[in-house]
């Protein structure tokens, strides 16, 4: 059939709708169904993943032609706001990643959540469905208003899932922290959208790009708007200094961590910059700022990950670091490199978090110092975890090797050695902390408390194996395999193709292997021992363990500045506005009434006397005026 009438493309809107429908149905019907209707959410995202393959087939056959569908929502004067979706190269990539990871996470949760507050399992899956549906709608939105609405729904979904165990104070505080921190960036995003609308009179993304290219937006407006939009991306994708919410988000269930860190919330910021890249390229100074923030975040978070002792926090700071690498790739002007690393990192990080969940499920431990030698007891989890860690360390031929190489090449071509050298240092840190966490958890001496540990249930292990296969296979996407698929780089950017710069590939590979070897020497061979290393750099170690005291600085600002200003404002509100302005005026009227009531006696002779006195006073005034 003709492309315009193809079934997959025509029903692409159903992919997010299926999950949103599951969010509505599970709470309504859950009490009448087994597992409180959890299967409804799984079926919804499963159908969405199946429909994705239909969409992908139609899209490739069409030669990558973008298609949009929309319904009119509001019309105010010449402004028309729609509920619309656009299917292009970026959105197709994101749909595939989101539906796949969300499906695996929800299936994994069927076993993982057994015995963990099963009385609310229906709500857990409903929140998962809302989160996935909102993210899917976000990546398909064809206008900035619809994008912003779904952007906020993604934030709501993260709040509900991070705070799922709200009875735990830490989880409740982490959910609030994530919600409030990302709101700061979201305000910037909204203002940026309004600036673009004021300059163009439209929210339609494609129209905005056309007007911007034709010079219809002043440079000052574009600079301000892109900076503000990037603030929104910084919040969602946990870029410094808005990164503080992401490590605390580990208080949610581990499958939630896998979903947030792999394919949904943190991917939203990277997607936003990639989506708006046609405007970003017109603001080179802002792109340089994006590069700097990405590079700083990449190295900064990598150093902290080196000293974390909680398994999930190591992975959390790893996520912050690699999100910085993606932003660096975008700042260097390569959407293809950033998105390819987004996919490779997303699948690898989902594997690592679910692997961490498997470890926690069978041992009850998250402190890596209390683990060790687990490959003997849970070999499947160990092998799959090693595959995910090696991918993020950049070991060939796994997917992370190809994606990291593409980003490094983009940085070299777009930003030069000034950015390239620190990026290679960040790559070394990545291999170091990945080697450290893997070796400390799965190798070395087996902890006596874990001698009777057995492999996780079949569903959990099956999900790990499936993700490991994808981690190995995704690297092959860089090559041209069919007549319809020209390779990832050309598929995304429609120019150039995948290639390697030998000296960059060799250098980054040597660095990755050196990091793993150094980890082996320190944490397995003890040459030198970790305690010796810590003793030699005790001051630096304290700073790293304190996570550079960023959270402490924020708390000081809150306690000494924000709360002090709030108390002053509260005092002004109470004394001036309330007591004087509101209660004071009411009290004045009441006092006046109390005084005036003596005049209203109801006695005729009193009124007569008052009238007589009044006549006399008026007569005297009249006489004085006339004379």
């Amino acid at each position: 059939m003709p492309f315009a009438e193809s079934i997959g493309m025509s029903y692409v809107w159903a992919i997010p709708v299926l999950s949103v429908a599951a969010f509505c149905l599970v709470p309504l019907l859950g009490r009448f169904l087994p597992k409180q209707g959890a299967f409804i959410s799984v079926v919804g995202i499963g159908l969405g993943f199946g429909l994705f393959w239909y969409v992908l087939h139609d899209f490739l056959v069409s030669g990558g032609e973008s298609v949009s569908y929309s319904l009119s929502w509001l019309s105010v004067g010449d402004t028309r706001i729609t509920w619309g979706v656009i299917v292009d190269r970026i959105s197709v990539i994101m749909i595939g990643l989101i539906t796949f990871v969300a499906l695996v996470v929800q299936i994994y949760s069927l076993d993982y959540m057994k015995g963990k507050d099963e009385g609310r399992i229906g709500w857990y899956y409903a929140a998962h469905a809302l989160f996935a549906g909102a993210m899917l709608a976000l990546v398909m939105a064809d206008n900035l208003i619809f994008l912003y609405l779904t952007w906020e729904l993604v934030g709501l979904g993260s709040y509900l899932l991070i705070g799922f165990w709200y009875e735990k104070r830490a989880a409740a505080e982490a959910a609030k922290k994530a919600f409030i921190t990302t709101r700061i960036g979201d305000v910037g995003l909204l203002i940026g959208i309004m600036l673009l609308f004021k300059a163009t009179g439209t929210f339609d993304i494609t129209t905005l790009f056309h007007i911007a290219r034709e010079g219809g937006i002043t440079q000052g407006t574009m600079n301000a708007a892109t900076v503000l939009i990037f603030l929104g991306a910084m919040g969602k994708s946990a870029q410094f200094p808005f990164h503080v919410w992401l490590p605390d988000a580990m208080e949610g269930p581990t499958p939630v961590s896998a979903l947030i860190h792999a394919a949904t919330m943190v991917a939203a910021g990277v997607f936003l910059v990639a989506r708006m890249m046609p405007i970003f390229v017109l603001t080179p100074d802002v792109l340089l700022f994006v590069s700097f923030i990405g590079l700083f975040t990449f190295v900064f978070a990598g150093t902290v990950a080196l000293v974390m002792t909680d398994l999930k926090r190591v992975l959390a700071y790893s996520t912050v670091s690699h999100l910085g690498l993606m932003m660096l790739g975008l700042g260097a002007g390569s959407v293809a490199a950033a998105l390819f690393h987004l996919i490779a990192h997303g699948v690898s990080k989902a594997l690592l978090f679910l692997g961490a969940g498997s470890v926690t499920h069978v041992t009850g431990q998250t402190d890596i110092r209390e683990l060790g030698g687990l490959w003997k007891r849970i070999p499947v989890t160990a092998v799959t975890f090693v595959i995910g860690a090696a991918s993020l360390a950049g070991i060939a031929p796994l997917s992370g090797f190809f994606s990291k190489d593409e980003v490094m090449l983009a940085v070299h071509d777009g930003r030069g050695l000034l950015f390239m050298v620190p990026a290679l240092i960040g790559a070394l840190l990545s291999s170091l902390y990945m080697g450290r966490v893997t070796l400390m958890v799965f190798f070395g001496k087996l902890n006596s408390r874990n001698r009777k540990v057995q492999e996780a249930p079949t569903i959990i292990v099956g999900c790990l194996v499936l993700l490991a296969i994808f981690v190995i296979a995704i690297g092959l996407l860089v090559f041209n395999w069919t007549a319809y698929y020209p390779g990832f780089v050309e598929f995304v950017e429609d120019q150039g193709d995948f290639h390697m710069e030998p000296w960059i590939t060799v250098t980054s590979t040597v660095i990755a292997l050196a990091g793993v070897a150094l980890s082996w020497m320190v944490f397995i061979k003890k040459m030198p021992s970790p305690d010796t290393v810590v003793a030699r750099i005790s001051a630096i170690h304290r700073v790293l363990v304190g996570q550079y005291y960023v959270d402490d600085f924020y708390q000081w600002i809150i306690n000494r500045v924000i709360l002090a200003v709030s108390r002053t404002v509260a005092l002004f509100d109470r004394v001036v506005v309330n007591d004087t302005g509101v209660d004071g005026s009411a009290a004045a009227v009441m006092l006046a009434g109390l005084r005036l009531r003596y005049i209203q006696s109801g006695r005729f002779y009193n009124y007569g006397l008052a009238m007589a006195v009044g006549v006399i006073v008026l007569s005297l005034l009249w006489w004085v005026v006339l004379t």
Side-chain angles (χ1 to χ4, degrees), residues 117 120 123 156-176 178 248-249 251-253 256 260:
D117 205 353
R120 288 189 287 135
W123 175 243
L156 173 61
S158 70
Y159 173 79
L160 296 175
L161 286 172
I162 294 170
F164 177 71
W165 287 319
Y166 57 82
E167 62 276 6
K168 292 169 51 181
R169 182 173 178 81
E173 293 295 329
K176 288 192 292 184
D248 287 3
E251 294 296 335
V256 170
I260 290 176

Side-chain angles (χ1 to χ4, degrees), residues 492-573:
V492 174
E493 297 185 339
D494 206 18
Q495 57 185 358
D497 54 10
F498 172 75
H499 67 282
M500 293 183 175
E501 187 70 33
W503 76 267
I504 294 178
T505 302
V506 171
T507 302
S508 62
T509 300
V510 169
I511 286 175
L513 294 174
V516 174
L518 183 58
S519 298
W520 179 271
M521 294 295 293
V522 173
F523 298 104
I524 299 298
K525 295 298 184 180
K526 311 295 183 184
M527 296 188 305
S529 70
D531 293 338
T532 302
V533 175
V534 169
R536 290 177 179 174
I537 57 168
S538 57
I540 297 175
H541 184 263
R542 282 195 299 272
V543 173
L544 296 180
V545 170
Q547 301 162 64
Y548 291 92
Y549 306 110
V550 176
D551 278 288
D552 300 275
F553 174 71
Y554 287 165
Q555 193 62 53
W556 183 87
I557 291 291
I558 291 170
N559 293 339
R560 299 298 180 87
V561 178
I562 295 178
L563 292 181
V565 171
S566 299
R567 284 191 290 268
T568 302
V569 172
L571 180 64
F572 178 84
D573 177 68

Side-chain angles (χ1 to χ4, degrees), residues 339-388:
L339 288 183
F340 191 41
H341 194 62
L342 176 64
I343 296 172
H345 170 269
V347 179
S348 300
K349 191 53 63 69
L351 173 58
L352 290 173
F353 265 109
L354 297 186
S358 176
V359 171
T360 305
H361 192 73
V362 299
T363 65
Q365 292 286 338
T366 60
D367 191 330
I368 59 176
R369 296 168 297 184
E370 301 297 324
L371 300 169
L374 286 178
W375 73 269
K376 303 172 184 177
R377 305 303 308 163
I378 48 175
V380 178
T381 298
V383 170
T384 54
F385 194 96
V386 167
I387 291 172

Side-chain angles (χ1 to χ4, degrees), residues 57-180:
H57 171 267
D58 291 344
F59 190 75
L60 292 176
V61 170
S62 75
E65 178 187 346
S66 298
V67 177
S68 61
Y69 305 93
S70 62
L71 295 173
S72 181
W73 179 31
L74 290 174
S75 294
V76 180
D78 295 331
T79 302
R80 177 172 171 264
I81 303 176
T82 63
W83 296 101
V85 299
I86 183 171
V87 185
D88 62 0
R89 302 178 186 199
I90 296 177
S91 60
V92 167
I93 292 168
M94 295 301 299
I95 292 169
L97 177 65
I98 296 165
T99 53
F100 172 65
V101 174
L103 176 61
V104 173
V105 167
Q106 290 192 29
I107 293 173
Y108 177 97
S109 297
L110 293 172
D111 248 341
Y112 183 85
M113 294 300 289
K114 282 182 179 178
K116 296 181 177 70
D117 205 353
E118 291 194 68
R120 288 189 287 135
I121 194 67
W123 175 243
Y124 171 83
Y125 273 92
H128 262 284
L130 173 65
F131 200 22
M135 188 66 194
L136 287 165
L138 167 64
V139 301
M140 284 189 264
D142 71 342
N143 66 84
L144 291 178
I145 285 294
F146 190 27
L147 183 147
Y148 186 77
L149 291 174
T150 54
W151 183 272
E152 293 300 320
L153 281 177
V154 168
L156 173 61
S158 70
Y159 173 79
L160 296 175
L161 286 172
I162 294 170
F164 177 71
W165 287 319
Y166 57 82
E167 62 276 6
K168 292 169 51 181
R169 182 173 178 81
E173 293 295 329
K176 288 192 292 184
K177 188 174 184 179
F179 197 78
I180 293 171

